[in-house]
Amino acid sequence: MATTIPLFASFKYADSLTVVGISFCTALVCEAISWILIYRTSSYKSLKYSIDKAAKKLETMKTENPSSKLTIKKSKTKKIDRVETSLKESSRDLSLFKFKSGAVVALVLFVVFGLLNSLFEGKVVAKLPFHPITIVKKMSHRGLKGDDPTDCSMAFLYLLCSISIRTNLQKFLGFSPPRGAASAGGLFPMPDPKTN
Amino acid sequence: MKESKLAKQNQQQQQQYNHQNDHLSPSKWTKLFDPDATWDKDQLGDVLHWIRQGMGLICGLLWGSIPLVGGIWIILFLVISSGIIYGYYAMILKVDEEDFGGHAALLQEGLFASFTLFLLAWILVYSLAHF
């Protein structure tokens, strides 16, 4: 099956460009779906706003009352705990909200991966400039014949594309999760020892 | 020390109005090299993230063009990029890392994405240019 346009036919590993191109388009489609289902909704906007606000408030309160001080008022400590709890709850709600809508994105990614797999199964799409460690080789040499460890399969290249392109695209478009949510634990926060 | 930190925080809160505007004005460019500038946690995190991505892309293109071959160059990339990030926030911007979550928080900003971008660029250029 012809998988490359004539312009790149002279490159031995021109299929790698096809993989990158499809990954980039997939990332755009996924972000568009995420925007429709998640980012433009008022629930997401209000959750994000409350997380940002709580995170900044917590930071200010902690800076004004560093934990090393022995004379912290009980009321201030209680206030900090209240803000922390509110931040954790908002982060959990945000993660749950994104999780439900993310199923559609996951389906798109699954379909695209299946398509790429059928197009490039058993084909070497790129050459690695290093010998991968065993655990990486399981993915980089997936489905390939021969013993050359520097042969790169579609799966590994697609993984690299997905992570780098999607992360930076989300960052560029402003769809990255708020930093306060990341530190608050997300969907499975650790239990607070102070409340037990 | 505590008063100067509080004054810096008040300035940061005032500057939050400009945070929504992503257009790069001349003042924002000069802020990137100004040791007296005040930084919001998000702003500094974003700047460090994009610097990491730039370094990942440049190193990947360079390593692939020469070409540099071997796992040692992955370690070298990580050392160089982390060194540059550390030098930037500690020596050029002169920020107090404790205000931003410590060295670990600043150094890990954008690390994984830049690492995958570096590998992608390195593999692509190496494969396309040398075979």
Side-chain angles (χ1 to χ4, degrees), chain A residues 70-87:
Chain A
L70 299 171
T71 53
I72 300 169
K73 289 182 188 172
K74 245 187 177 175
S75 58
K76 286 268 179 179
T77 314
K78 274 189 176 173
K79 235 181 178 178
I80 290 173
D81 287 344
R82 246 201 319 268
V83 174
E84 261 177 358
T85 308
S86 154
L87 178 63

Side-chain angles (χ1 to χ4, degrees), chain A residues 117-189:
Chain A
N117 211 31
S118 65
L119 285 173
F120 298 109
E121 195 174 1
K123 279 185 99 177
V124 177
V125 298
K127 206 82 171 137
L128 299 178
F130 55 90
H131 283 235
I133 55 174
T134 314
I135 195 166
V136 174
K137 195 182 163 188
K138 281 186 179 357
M139 176 153 266
S140 67
H141 211 264
R142 188 174 172 271
L144 299 179
K145 291 172 191 164
D147 291 326
D148 188 353
T150 60
D151 284 341
C152 181
S153 69
M154 177 280 302
F156 185 62
L157 199 68
Y158 181 65
L159 178 72
L160 292 179
C161 290
S162 296
I163 296 170
S164 56
I165 295 172
R166 275 200 80 201
T167 307
N168 286 309
L169 192 62
Q170 283 178 348
K171 196 85 180 170
F172 182 73
L173 296 172
F175 296 158
S176 296
R179 282 190 177 80
S183 60
L187 197 56
F188 302 108

Side-chain angles (χ1 to χ4, degrees), chain A residues 11 13 16-17 20 56 59-60 63-64 126-130 156-157 160-161 163-164 167-168 171-172 179, chain B residues 9 16 41-42 45-46 49-50 53 69-71 109 112-113 116-117 119-120 122-124 126-128 131:
Chain A
F11 292 112
Y13 295 109
S16 58
L17 294 174
V20 173
K56 281 183 170 67
E59 213 181 298
T60 314
T63 314
E64 285 170 4
K127 206 82 171 137
L128 299 178
F130 55 90
F156 185 62
L157 199 68
L160 292 179
C161 290
I163 296 170
S164 56
T167 307
N168 286 309
K171 196 85 180 170
F172 182 73
R179 282 190 177 80
Chain B
Q9 273 167 24
Q16 276 175 14
K41 199 173 186 178
D42 286 339
D46 289 347
H49 172 95
W50 289 116
Q53 306 317 302
V69 178
E109 200 64 55
F112 192 57
T116 53
L117 184 62
L119 285 179
L120 183 66
W122 189 20
I123 292 168
L124 277 179
Y126 178 69
S127 304
L128 293 170
F131 291 91

Side-chain angles (χ1 to χ4, degrees), chain A residues 1 5 9 38 59 62 77 88 90 100 129 168 170-171 191:
Chain A
M1 179 186 278
I5 58 175
I38 305 169
E59 213 181 298
K62 281 187 173 174
T77 314
K88 280 179 186 162
S90 300
K100 287 187 275 190
N168 286 309
Q170 283 178 348
K171 196 85 180 170

